[in-house]
Amino acid sequence: MKQLIDSYNRKHTYLRISVTDRCNLRCNYCMPHGGIQLKKRSEMLTFDEIEQLSRLFASMGINKIRLTGGEPLVRKDLPELVQRLANIPGIRTLGMTTNGVLLKSFAHQLKQARLTNLNISLDTLRPSRFEMISGKQHFNDVIDGIYAALDAGIQLLKLNVVVMGGINDDELLDFVEFVQDKPINIRFIEYMPFKFNQWNHAKFVSFRRMMETISEKYKLEPVQSTDEHYVAKDYWISGLLGKISFITSISDHFCGTCNRIRLTADGSIKSCLFHSAEINLRSALRNGTPDDVISEMIQSAITAKPFGHPAAEELAQIENRSMIQIGG
Ligand code: SAM
Ligand code: SF4
């Protein structure tokens, strides 16, 4: 079997697929202030094309897929795609990241379609703040979505919280308390800079500062992961059903063990979130290019993958797609 190994000997086993650049929220740390130029529907990969590429990736050693966006649940018939990907031999983990707004209607279908991991993004437990961050009044829908996901019994549930200084960094303890009685892994994420995403130093809260705040009230016990590619720093708190993790992409990056590759909704391979180079596979797919040639295109994207990303100040300036157009 061909394997996706880059110039630094990193083996790639994890594919993130963005299924749309559309979204029903406008989170100000993700969606650029002036909005984005949406791709035409004809430019989006169809479910057949996503499945075909996923099979090819699986034949090259990918064993984990995560669907993202934009908001994946605004893509029509998304559970059908989940089911099709779950049937691909070699795919052991199939996850999705959602803002949760539409989750109440979809949670059970997603479980039935054999989604194994679900990350729900929620940056505040206060309705008025939710509207300030996301531009919409969907707080209650997201909370309903979280309970629906718990009820559906999806294997692994995580809550993504982007921590921003002066915006929601006073809610760390509230989030810890939120998972006191819920089997949910809270992931406090460092705010990553992109051009036009309103990042600045004052809004950046490092994982050490988050730890200090939580440690004022709780004892955080480190949990060692056995997965060499695992990116989170995990902790237990005695008496808490949920787990607490930190994603330290900026203050302590994990590029050295990166095993991820991204496929955008319009069919481009991005070897790194912060690297603007892309190889578009859509025309090749639509021209009937043989699989072995498409595999070579994928391999060349991997070969060109940089070792790591530059410092935060530089990331805030570089030309790149915005997060909503890549898929986090
Ligand atoms: N719409 C879905 C959602 O919000 O979960 C999926 C797409 S979103 C781009 C994926 C994840 O990226 C979300 O958890 C979001 O909070 C995170 N994200 C977006 N912009 C970010 C940034 N600048 N820094 C850190 N995380 C970010
Ligand atoms: Fe939409 Fe997710 Fe970006 Fe928020 S973080 S704007 S929900 S894609």
Side-chain angles (χ1 to χ4, degrees):
M1 178 173 69
K2 270 193 203 155
Q3 302 224 309
L4 290 166
I5 297 178
D6 72 7
S7 317
Y8 303 93
N9 215 23
R10 293 173 296 193
K11 189 169 142 193
H12 291 69
T13 54
Y14 183 4
L15 173 67
R16 290 198 168 198
I17 303 176
S18 171
V19 294
T20 180
D21 57 357
R22 271 78 173 161
C23 189
N24 43 10
L25 295 183
R26 299 277 174 276
C27 306
N28 44 32
Y29 55 81
C30 174
M31 168 83 94
H33 193 50
I36 56 162
Q37 178 78 47
L38 293 173
K39 297 281 176 189
K40 288 192 231 130
R41 300 221 180 252
S42 59
E43 292 176 286
M44 300 286 162
L45 295 186
T46 62
F47 282 2
D48 284 345
E49 289 165 343
I50 294 174
E51 184 184 345
Q52 184 187 340
L53 281 179
S54 300
R55 286 186 185 275
L56 192 57
F57 273 106
S59 74
M60 300 172 87
I62 293 291
N63 56 37
K64 176 174 178 180
I65 291 181
R66 172 169 296 278
L67 300 178
T68 180
E71 171 47 37
L73 290 177
V74 303
R75 176 94 190 234
K76 193 166 172 284
D77 299 326
L78 206 263
E80 182 200 323
L81 179 65
V82 171
Q83 190 155 33
R84 287 167 71 161
L85 301 185
N87 286 335
I88 296 178
I91 299 303
R92 296 201 290 264
T93 308
L94 182 54
M96 186 173 85
T97 303
T98 173
N99 61 30
V101 171
L102 299 171
L103 190 54
K104 187 177 173 187
S105 322
F106 283 107
H108 283 83
Q109 287 179 60
L110 291 169
K111 165 73 181 170
Q112 270 180 353
R114 286 181 288 135
L115 190 83
T116 57
N117 296 19
L118 185 63
N119 290 11
I120 305 169
S121 307
L122 178 65
D123 307 308
T124 176
L125 293 168
R126 303 183 194 180
S128 59
R129 225 175 234 187
F130 182 93
E131 190 179 355
M132 186 194 77
I133 296 171
S134 72
K136 304 276 174 171
Q137 285 182 334
H138 283 306
F139 176 79
N140 290 330
D141 297 323
V142 181
I143 296 291
D144 288 350
I146 293 172
Y147 283 104
L150 283 167
D151 186 56
I154 292 169
Q155 203 176 312
L156 197 56
L157 271 189
K158 297 183 182 174
L159 201 63
N160 285 359
V161 183
V162 179
V163 180
M164 294 163 282
I167 296 185
N168 64 351
D169 56 339
D170 55 350
E171 292 191 57
L172 295 175
L173 293 173
D174 296 348
F175 273 109
V176 171
E177 274 136 39
F178 183 70
V179 297
Q180 187 122 35
D181 57 352
K182 300 177 189 70
I184 296 181
N185 177 193
I186 293 248
R187 297 166 9 124
F188 293 116
I189 301 176
E190 287 180 349
Y191 186 0
M192 296 186 286
F194 285 83
K195 208 170 183 182
F196 309 123
N197 84 337
Q198 306 186 29
W199 184 93
N200 61 40
H201 272 290
K203 285 194 200 153
F204 177 70
V205 184
S206 70
F207 118 84
R208 294 201 182 280
R209 270 175 53 206
M210 299 180 207
M211 290 264 291
E212 278 163 22
T213 305
I214 297 172
S215 302
E216 282 169 19
K217 184 156 177 195
Y218 296 103
K219 187 165 187 312
L220 289 160
E221 311 267 11
V223 181
Q224 292 308 325
S225 168
T226 48
D227 177 354
E228 58 174 322
H229 300 297
Y230 194 64
V231 298
K233 293 178 173 49
D234 290 341
Y235 294 85
W236 289 111
I237 291 177
S238 167
L240 201 83
L241 198 54
K243 192 166 68 175
I244 308 295
S245 306
F246 301 91
I247 309 289
T248 63
S249 329
I250 301 300
S251 71
D252 185 14
H253 69 73
F254 25 81
C255 302
T257 56
C258 183
N259 66 341
R260 298 168 185 206
I261 178 164
R262 291 178 155 82
L263 176 64
T264 65
D266 56 329
S268 282
I269 293 290
K270 263 182 92 71
S271 61
C272 170
L273 187 58
F274 294 115
H275 188 49
S276 57
E278 305 182 349
I279 293 190
N280 193 282
L281 304 178
R282 190 183 63 240
S283 312
L285 271 179
R286 293 184 182 174
N287 292 338
T289 306
D291 277 0
D292 57 333
V293 177
I294 296 182
S295 302
E296 277 165 26
M297 293 170 79
I298 296 170
Q299 184 56 58
S300 64
I302 292 281
T303 305
K305 178 167 175 152
F307 179 70
H309 61 73
E313 294 70 18
E314 205 178 317
L315 289 178
Q317 301 303 325
I318 58 173
E319 293 302 330
N320 193 3
R321 289 183 185 233
S322 60
M323 191 65 150
I324 191 168
Q325 295 165 307
I326 302 172

